[in-house]
Structure formats: C-alpha cells, structure tokens
Amino acid sequence: MAVCCRLLMLLTLLTLLCVQPGAAQKKKENMLVEKVEQMMDWSSRRSVIRMNGDKFRRFVKAPPRNYSVIVMFTALQPQRQCSVCRQANEEYQVLANSWRYSSAFSNKLFFTVVDYDEGADVFQQLNMNSAPTFMHFPAKGKPKRADTFDLQRIGFASEQLAKWIADRTDVQIRVFRPPNYSGTIALALLVSLVGGLLYLRRNNLEFIYNKTGWAMAALCVVFAMTSGQMWNHIRGPPYAHKNPQNGQVSYIHGSSQAQFVAESHIILLLNAAITMGMVLLNEAATSKGDVGKRRIICLVGLGLVVFFFSFLLSIFRSKYHGYPYSFLIK
Amino acid sequence: MHTAHVFKEGVLDIFFSGTPAGWQSLLSFTILFLAWLAGFSSRLFAVIRFESIIHEFDPWFNYRSTHHLSTNGFYEFLNWFDERAWYPLGRIVGGTVYPGLMVTAGLIHYLLNLLNVTVHIRDVCVFLAPIFSGLTAISTFLLTRELWNQGAGLLAACFIAIVPGYISRSVAGSFDNEGIAIFALQFTYYLWVKSVKTGSVFWTIGCCLSYFYMVSAWGGYVFIINLIPLHVFVLLLMQRYSRRLYIAYSTFYIVGLVLSMQIPFVGFQPIRTSEHMAAAGVFALLQAYAFLQYLKDRLTKQEFQTLFFLGVSLAAGVVFLTVIYLTYTGETPNLPDSVCFRYAKIHIPIIASVSEHQPTTWVSFFFDLHILVCTFPAGLWFCIKNINDERVFVALYAISAVYFAGVMVRLMLTLTPVVCMLSAIAFSSVFEHYLGDDMKRENPPAEDSKEGLGPNIKSIVTMLMLMLLMMFAVHCTWVTSNAYSSPSVVLASYNHDGSRNILDDFREAYYWLRQNTDEHARVMSWWDYGYQIAGMANRTTLVDNNTWNNSHIALVGKAMSSNESAAYEIMKSLDVDYVLIIFGGVIGYSGDDINKFLWMVRIAEGEHPKDIRESDYFTPQGEFRVDKAGSPTLLNCLMYKMSYYRFGEMQVTLDFRTPPGFDRTRNAEIGNKDIRLKHLEEAFTSEHWLVRIYRVKKQENRQALDHKLRNVAAKQKYTSKKVCIA
C-alpha cells in the first residue's frame, strides 16, 4: 500500500513535472499574444507609443517578445529646453508614420518614446545621460553596441534612421515625407501680393520703369552672394562665437575656411559702403549743384572707399594668416 | 612691372580727349601688348621655380590625350579606346572628352613643326594657358569697349590679365579646359553683343563659330546657352524687341544648335536635356512675338485683340495639357543639375569628397578678386542707371555668375571676367572725371573754372585710386606666387634660412614603375592618382580622376579598407599587380591617403554596406585615431598596414624625445608597429616615403595548409575496410 501510495505520488509528481512546462509555455504564449495585441492597439492609435517606466519594463525589457522595439529616449518638456530633441522628434515621427501607413506594416517592429519626465527611472537604469538617444531592442537577446544609434556622427535624418533600422532588423522602411507646402504657399502669397499691388497701382505703373529700384535689387543680390550668405545657408554656422571661459564674444572666425553669420553681415556692410563711396565719387563729379556741397560729397565718397577698404583688408589679414599687406589700418 | 603697368592705364585717360586717333590706337596696342606680357609672365612662377612640367591631376590626362593626338592623328584620337584605364572596363576617350583643348594644342604643335620650329608637345601644353590669357584680355577689352568705352576696355583687359580668380586656372602647366574656355566665353559674348547691336548675320555667324569652339572646349558652354536666351527674354519683357534682336537670336539658336551637336561628347543633348530647353522655349517665344508684331501691322485693333486672346488661351491650354501628360506618364523633366547638385551631394559621397564643389566664403571672394569685388557693384549700378540693350546683358551676366560663384567655389572662374569688366567701368568713370581735367587743354571749357572740384581734390582722389590699384597688382602677384603656382607633382619645403628643398618623390616613384615593372602591369591606387600613373608611369590603372563608375571606385575603396586576406581576394579578382599609396607621415604631408581614408570607407560603404561600416573605423568616442587607442579594424586594414609597414622601427625626427614610429602628419605614435604582410611585399618606397609601392604576390601553386597534417596511420583502417567490401 505504502509502495503503491509512493508510486502514485511519484506518478503525480511526474505528471506535474511533465505538465508544468507545457502550462508555462502556454501562459507565456498567452502573455506574448496579449502583449502584441496591446502594442498593436496602441500603435493603431498613435504611430509612436509613449511609454513610462512600468510600461517600458513590461513591453520592452521583459523577455517574452517576438517583436523589435525602437525607443527614442528624449526630453520634450519645454522646461528642458532641448531644441535638438524637438527636431529629432519630428524626424522620428516622419519615420514612424512612414512605417505605420506602409503596406509592409506588421507586428514585428514598434516605435516608442520614453520622455525623461515620465520615466526618469528608465534613464537611470540604462545609465543614460544624454537625450535624444535612439536604441533598438531586438526580439531576441540584449541590445548590443551597434543597437544604439550613432547620433553624433550620422545625424538624425529619418533616412539615416531607416537605414540603421534596416541594418539592425531587416525591415525596410521607405521614408515618405509629407510634402512641404510652405514653399508653394509662400510663393503663391508673394505672387498674389505683387499682383495685388500691381492691380492697385494699375493707373501708375511708372515704378516698374524705375531704374534705381532695379539697380538696388541687383546690388542686393550681389552683396548677399559676395559676403557668403549662400555659404551660411548651406553650412548653417552660428551667429557669433562666445568664449565659454571669459565670456568674450568674437564675431570674426579665426580661420579663412569658415565664417560666422555676424561676420558675413559686417562684410556685406563694408562692401556696400565701398560701392557707395565709388558711386558718390562719380556723383560729385557729374551732378550740377553747389561746388562746396559737391566737394563734401566727393570727400565723403573718397573717405568711404579708402577707410572701409582698409578696414576690410585688415579683417582679411586677421583671417588669412601670413598675408603681408595692409593699408592705413593694421 | 605691375605697378608700372597700372600707372600706364591711368596716364592713358589723359590722352583721351583731343588727341589724334593714331595716338589712341598706338596706346591701345601698347597697353594690350603689355597686358598680354604681364599676364603671361606672372603665370610663369611654377616654370621658373621648378621646370616646364604639367601640373596636378586632370592636366596629365589632357596631356596624355594630346600626346596621343599628335602622334596618331585626329581620327585615331576620336576613335581612341583607352584600355589602360579603368581596368578591366577600359574607357572610350574620344567620345567622352571635350576635344577643343587637345585639338588646339595639337594644331599649334603641328603649325610650329610645319614652320620647322621643333617644340616638344609638352612645352606647347605647358604654355598654352598663359598664351590664351592674353587672348582673353583682348576679348575682354573688345566686350567692355562695346559696353562702355575704350578706356574701361583697356582697364578691364589689364584687370583680367592679372586677377587671381582667373590665374588660378591658367598658370603655366595647368593644361586644362578652363584655360582656353574663358577666352572662348568672352569672345562669344563679345560677338553676341556685337550682333545684337548691328543685327548683322556676319557677326552672328562669328558668334556661332566661337560658341562652337566653346562647346568643344568646356562643359561650361551651358552657361552661354542659358544666358543668351535669358538676355533675349528680358529684352522682350522690357519691350526692347527689335529686328536686330530677331535676326541675331534666330540665327544664333539654329546655327549654334547644329554646330554644338557636332561634338561627339555633346551629341543629342542640346535637344534632349533640360539645361537646353530654355533656349528652345525662348526661340519659340521670339517667333511668336515677331509673328504678333507682323499681325499688329496688318490687322485692326479689334481683330488683333480677339486673335491675341485666342492665341494666348490656346498656348496656355497646350502648356497645361503637356504638364498633365508629363506628370501622368512620370516623365517630369528633371531640374537643371548644376543648380541641384547640392542635394546630390548629401547622397553621393564622391561628389562631396571633391573640395571644389563647396560653397564660397567671403574670404575666397576677396582672395581671388581683392578690390574688384568691392567696386564691381558700382559698375553694375552705372550700367543699370544708363541702361541699353547690351548693358542688360552684362547685368544679367553679373547677377547669374555671382549666384553660381556663391554656390560653388570653382564657378568663381565664370564670375571673374564680368567682375573685371564692371570694376573697370567703375574705375574708368572715376578716372574720367578726376584725371581728365587736370590736363592743360588748348581751349578749356568755360564752365570748368566755375564748377570744377579744384585740382587739389582731384589729385588726391586720383592718387588714392591709383594706390588702391597698385595694391591690387601687388596682391595679385603675391597670391599667384604663393597660392596658385604649385605644380603639386613636385613639392617644395622651405628651410629656416629661406632656401628651398625640392621633394621629387612622386616622379621618382612613377619613373620607377615605368622602368621596373612589366609593360602591362596593373596598378591599384586611389582614384586621385590614376591620371598621373597613366601619364607618367604609363601603366594600367583601375580607377582614375574621371570618376564615371562609382561601383568600381567603391571596390578599390573596399580593398583598401578591408583586412589583408579579404583585400587579397578583391585584388586577385581585379588582376592587381602593384598597389601604390601616398604616405605623408615622414615629412608631414597632409594630403596623403590616411587622411583621405575615411572617404574610401564611405564610398565603399555606399556600395557594400554589409562588409564595410564607417563606425568600425572610429574609436568608441567617435574619433579617428591611428595610435594605440584607434579602432582595431583600422589598425588592421590594408591601407593602414601598407602605410605604416616598417614605419614602427623608424626614428622620424632628429629629436630623440619622440618615439620611433611617430607620424608627423597626425602627430601620433602609431598603434600597430608589428606589421607583417602575407600577400603583399614592399616593392619600392621613395626617398621621403611619400610614395610606397607594394607588389601583390602571385598565388602559390598549392594552398599551404594552416592546420597539422592528418595522421597517416589512422587512414589505413579505411583502406582495409574498402578491401573488405570489395
């Protein structure tokens, strides 16, 4: 009897042992299905899922997963004053929307965001001290070094992010940017404004034949280009440089390969002054006015040309090291 | 010499009023001759310092093609298939170059030899650009004379002869398309202005021929074929239509189109690509405008208005339907590439890696144009205030050229001529008023004493203006001597006492290749040195400066940035016999291959993203370092190994505080000193280690086994088994 009992117990134990893994498996699967459903539900509402600390641990870190998660750690609250975060967020939204509305959309990849003010514990847990950071949490295993997006080097354009995601997860996302109508609208506004002005002044179209106006416009283009505004537009340099040690602000860049925005404005003014000097010199000699007045105009023109040119030369000299010549001003 | 030169221009204006025409033309001739001489001689710095040698990279290709032309004849050149470039693909040279430069040099060489003046073709090539600078000065003189007056013309000629913005592309030895193209550009514009002024077919045909020469010489002809239609269009808008304009443009468009299509490289582009569509559109518009003018004379006002309304709505409808059709068939014409290149730059590393494609800072403008950049807006102002047909042209020329120069540094070249012309106008109008009256005239105008500014002010103004011009001449000479006269094939270093050391490593290495390797040996190098290897060493190259095949370049980049065994597979598949690299660590030369290395990685990554990753070549902190802290991928890649092979045991500087293997370019002690090469062996290293050449070992007969040989005794078991079965 005792033997029988023991045998029974052993049997039950055995069955229990056999059943237990099966039940756990099932439970796990249920949990996974539940999790995936939950994630799908969220992502159907918003293409980027907002997470706090608990959600992050449950859906991103906890093991039963068969989906990859891209997480943007950021600080979007206005009091954090993180302008990069906002730009990165825009790019991230573009990418997430491209994925959400693409035909390849599946439950294999989710886009989430953790804000510092909602999940500071996550930041601490991951030893993260800079925002924004993009990380990929793969379906299996722990994130490796390459699963952190190299923001410093590649930047955060959504095309680059998509390339990185394709590299890490084999999911190809074609970035679709919502067409930017602001340029078209601005152009249309400008055209209608000009058209409206012309219509209002249709009885007096003399100003179109005004040579001074056209000459001014042409000179504006010329000054903008020769002072390097196109360089500013393409490279986007800072306005001026403030030395963090002593708080001195320098408006002129020390190297001849680069320039500040303020510097290019100074050069624009100098060029304009020299040109005005030349025009005044000519004006003084050709106009038919009082001789004294003309003499003053002539001297002012000459002064403008000589003084501002030597000033320009001295700025150039300070930037182009080893340039030997100067004029009036060292 | 320049000082005297500028002074002469000033003196000229004194003689302007009241002297016989003979004096004027004699002075003009003298000044133009002096301008030519000054321009020619200030371009000779490199020849005097070094020797009569072709510079840089592209000129070596041009020289090689010219040499081919002069030895094999014109037709052989047109059909030339160069199997020594882009191995194993080859390159069709005849159909992919602008032949104007080679034909010009070849023709001069032919003529000189016909006259029994025996000159080597190399000397013709070296001195072609300086000679053409004189022709550019003359055509600038002619154009400015048409726009303003003779005095301004002479000033403009003197400016363009010595201005650095043009010298940068036309020093002796810089045998490149731009050297002759600027002459063709200015001369075409002169003939165009002349034909608009006269309305004669004679001048227009001249303009077309000059345009044909320009098309054969340089891809920048697109600038002409857009600027001239723009001029016509703006003249129409300003209601300055005339028969002269109609004759000039209609003739120019048709004859110019037919002529430009005769160049094999251009082919059918003028009727296909969007850059040329503006010209066609303006041609149609001009015909319509002329037709309407004709109808206006024939019909009553009422009829004309109805017809006009109908015509306009019909045209609008046609344009609308075309746009819709094109949108739906997906054949929207792409925007002009020249404007959109900066969008391409983000995506294609090879475009971004060329420093000429960068936007321009104000320093570059000032460096290349000095006083002219500040004064030419004044000339533009005078031109617009006293507008006429041809001044509309120069204003449009100035605005479009200044825009393009702002976008891309190398287009400074097209801005320079118009800046010289407009500056000359500004200076000449000042000199006219302040210099002319100082002269004792036979009968001074009555009001002069009453209205004059007085001789003191006038002489002060004149003196200061002359001083500015003198500074310009000095600046030009300094810039030419210091910035634009280095051949870059031969390097020079200066000692403390100012004496010059010549580093001739490049030619030494190329000559070694020429003498010591098989005639058909294939040399792998980064694309920068392709033309030089072909030109100087006469060996087959894999990639060169004509970067037409990105994937081929990426393959070379991949070989350079992989580890040795992976690189060996690539080199085997490409039949590479020698690898040539540039290494500046010994003398501190910053333009070497390690500094260019990231571009190789980027270009390789663009084509092979699975094998090459840029981030692998950085430290975890995101730095690019060659010392011990550098990334292991970098420290074991082929380029690193070849650059620093045997470098670890070398004491670079005389100062023994620095360790051996100290890289002077990157100021670091190298991280991997124990470099062993398995598939390569060092073949040649030049005197200052600037050029290093490695031989790729041939495969051994049988792959050597890395693991231990199998035990033979164990094998016997199986043989006996086999016997059993049998």
Side-chain angles (χ1 to χ4, degrees), chain A residues 214-230:
Chain A
W214 286 106
M216 284 289 217
L219 290 203
C220 284
V221 175
V222 168
F223 287 135
M225 288 299 153
T226 53
S227 62
Q229 301 302 325
M230 186 53 87

Side-chain angles (χ1 to χ4, degrees), chain A residues 167 212 235 263 281 323, chain B residues 358 362 385 434 475 613:
Chain A
D167 189 37
T212 315
R235 291 296 164 83
E263 177 185 343
L281 274 179
Y323 183 74
Chain B
Q358 311 295 340
W362 76 267
K385 290 292 258 185
Y434 288 89
H475 171 89
R613 274 172 227 283

Side-chain angles (χ1 to χ4, degrees), chain A residues 283-298, chain B residues 449-454 457:
Chain A
E283 201 80 346
T286 51
S287 67
K288 297 207 179 356
D290 175 34
V291 177
K293 208 169 151 191
R294 279 170 52 196
R295 273 189 190 143
I296 291 170
I297 294 177
C298 169
Chain B
S449 51
K450 193 173 70 198
E451 281 197 21
L453 289 163
I457 287 187

Side-chain angles (χ1 to χ4, degrees), chain B residues 160-179:
Chain B
I160 193 115
I162 56 170
V163 70
Y166 176 44
I167 283 191
S168 65
R169 295 309 180 118
S170 60
V171 290
S174 153
F175 179 55
D176 217 339
N177 295 331
E178 290 95 329

Side-chain angles (χ1 to χ4, degrees), chain A residues 110-130:
Chain A
F110 294 102
F111 288 91
T112 63
V113 58
V114 177
D115 198 299
Y116 181 76
D117 295 284
E118 292 165 19
D121 46 338
V122 180
F123 276 70
Q124 277 162 14
Q125 200 182 340
L126 291 169
N127 269 334
M128 206 164 280
N129 42 25
S130 69

